[in-house]
Amino acid sequence: SALTFFAVMLQVYDLTRSPFAVGLLGVAQAVPTLAVGLLGGPLTDALDRRKLVLVTSGCLAVVSVALAAQAFAGVGQVWLLYLLVSVQFGLSALDRPARGTFTPALLPANQVTAALALDRISFQITLTAGPALAGLIAAAPHLGLRACYLLDALSFAAALYGVGRLPKLRPTGSRPRLGPRAVAEGIRFIRHSQVLAGAFLADLSATIFALPLALFPAINAERFGGDPRTLGLFTTAIGVGGLASAVLSGPLGRIARPGRAMLVTVAIWGAAFAGFAVAPAVLWLTLGLLAVAGAADTFTVVFRIGIVQSVTTEALRGRLLAADYVVGAGGSQLGNLWSGALGSLTTPVISAFSGGLLTVVAVGAIGLVLPAFRLYRRQPAAVRVADPASSAAAET
């Protein structure tokens, strides 16, 4: 999947030479994520989650085959890339929240935080190796972007095998009726909890304002001559920083106030991207700042998911994880649009720098407006909030 993400972004830029066109990938990703994500939450709470993921993974494999086919056929149509990416992210909006329920279902509560950290290590290895490998493949004369797409399509055999070996994972308790009312129940739970609202808003401020992935091809072209291998190193540097912090994330489970800690790590994320924007054309400095951002991101994600898992009831877990996915994925896609549009209207440097500063300002405001999030203390593993009306207990 990391190979495909790199290949789509670079193919759109090669076809258009426009940061805004790359940013429009965010729209193609965000619209189905927002439309399907929240509505898909009740499905996760009502169906066997293993079977649901088998279906969504199979459909995602078909989309990957289609992306490979258009590359080998040399179609070269940006609209087709947008369409396939939209279908891909609509399916992912069902797939990812359902996968997120596997960890608390398979492990005791006191091991969930450690499991989330291990899951993050796995993600960071992918984020580290994927873009670097994609850059090498894209620069190779006889491989190029077609090989990136093809490898992703082939990898689904392993993904389907892994999910197929899991036990049945039916949700416990009463199953919700599918439809808007079930979605509204999850939204009410979030609205009544300053802790959840603060976690989601802090993450959105980071991903919308300070995630300038759409600017990477243009900044790479301006600063380092547009070499695909260098472009791959940009995302790899974020992955390296994230991997290092994930490996060292064991003590995070002992931090008493994860809300306050999350505000700090989001501020570091924003400051690192602001520094990346104005850094001179020195590769080690550019990559170092991106690595700092990646390290802060891993801590942020572990804090956010830990808070969501701690405050959420089992009956609402699918819907809350769907909301969490919409915030994480939808925010990054809107951030691509924001940074790409602002980069086209001004310059890529101004877009990345202002976004980083806005993030720092935003987390300061969240800490002031939502004191219950800032002061939230981690609950004991055995404690779970019984219903939305009692969510205030999680905020004291």
Side-chain angles (χ1 to χ4, degrees):
S1 297
L3 299 182
T4 288
F5 181 82
F6 178 95
V8 169
M9 182 175 65
L10 185 55
Q11 187 176 3
V12 170
Y13 186 74
D14 287 343
L15 290 172
T16 64
R17 293 293 168 181
S18 167
F20 182 65
V22 178
L24 282 177
L25 280 170
V27 176
Q29 297 162 354
V31 170
T33 297
L34 296 173
V36 177
L38 291 177
L39 292 175
L43 276 176
T44 305
D45 285 333
L47 303 177
D48 184 325
R49 291 151 179 176
R50 169 182 164 274
K51 289 183 178 178
L52 178 60
V53 171
L54 281 172
V55 171
T56 54
S57 295
C59 294
L60 283 166
V62 173
V63 175
S64 289
V65 170
L67 283 166
Q70 65 85 29
F72 277 96
V75 175
Q77 296 293 322
V78 176
W79 68 266
L80 180 59
L81 291 171
Y82 290 155
L83 175 62
L84 291 173
V85 166
S86 293
V87 175
Q88 182 184 56
F89 272 75
L91 291 167
S92 294
L94 293 175
D95 183 83
R96 299 293 179 83
R99 288 178 182 271
T101 65
F102 292 173
T103 298
L106 296 170
L107 292 175
N110 63 352
Q111 293 183 12
V112 169
T113 299
L116 293 175
L118 288 172
D119 182 68
R120 194 64 188 174
I121 290 173
S122 172
F123 173 80
Q124 293 298 339
I125 290 173
T126 301
L127 189 63
T128 301
L133 180 60
L136 292 174
I137 294 171
H142 302 296
L143 296 176
L145 299 179
R146 296 177 300 176
C148 291
Y149 291 127
L150 181 60
L151 286 170
D152 182 23
L154 294 174
S155 73
F156 272 93
L160 290 168
Y161 174 80
V163 176
R165 296 284 292 175
L166 290 174
K168 293 180 179 180
L169 294 170
R170 294 190 179 94
T172 60
S174 60
R175 299 185 181 184
R177 294 181 179 180
L178 302 180
R181 288 187 178 180
V183 176
E185 187 179 358
I187 293 174
R188 281 196 301 271
F189 187 86
I190 297 171
R191 193 180 70 235
H192 292 156
S193 171
Q194 278 197 23
V195 175
L196 287 176
F200 288 161
L201 287 173
D203 194 86
L204 280 172
S205 69
T207 52
I208 291 178
F209 297 133
L211 188 60
L213 299 183
L215 305 174
F216 280 8
I219 291 176
N220 179 53
E222 177 183 317
R223 202 174 289 179
F224 301 108
D227 189 333
R229 292 169 293 186
T230 308
L231 178 61
L233 290 177
F234 279 19
T235 311
T236 295
I238 298 176
V240 168
L243 179 60
S245 60
V247 171
L248 301 174
S249 62
L252 296 187
R254 297 192 291 272
I255 291 179
R257 296 191 185 274
R260 179 183 296 172
M262 184 176 173
L263 291 173
V264 172
T265 57
V266 171
I268 294 172
W269 162 273
F273 272 117
F276 159 78
V278 297
V282 179
L283 185 59
W284 68 265
L285 179 59
T286 298
L287 298 181
L289 288 165
L290 291 174
V292 170
D297 179 53
T298 289
F299 289 151
T300 298
V301 170
V302 173
F303 286 134
R304 188 192 79 226
I305 298 179
I307 289 170
V308 173
Q309 296 280 18
S310 175
V311 175
T312 302
T313 66
E314 176 60 27
L316 289 170
R317 192 173 302 281
R319 278 162 283 179
L320 269 292
L321 288 177
D324 180 77
Y325 176 77
V326 167
V327 167
S332 63
Q333 295 143 15
L334 292 174
N336 262 336
L337 177 62
W338 161 273
S339 61
L342 186 59
S344 294
L345 291 173
T346 57
T347 68
V349 169
I350 291 175
S351 177
F353 181 72
S354 61
L357 291 185
L358 277 172
T359 298
V360 176
V361 172
V363 295
I366 291 168
L368 292 174
V369 174
L370 299 175
F373 171 62
R374 186 183 74 247
L375 301 175
Y376 167 69
R377 283 188 175 275
R378 187 183 302 278
Q379 298 178 85
V383 175
R384 289 292 182 267
V385 180
D387 54 58
S390 65
S391 63
E395 298 170 1
T396 58

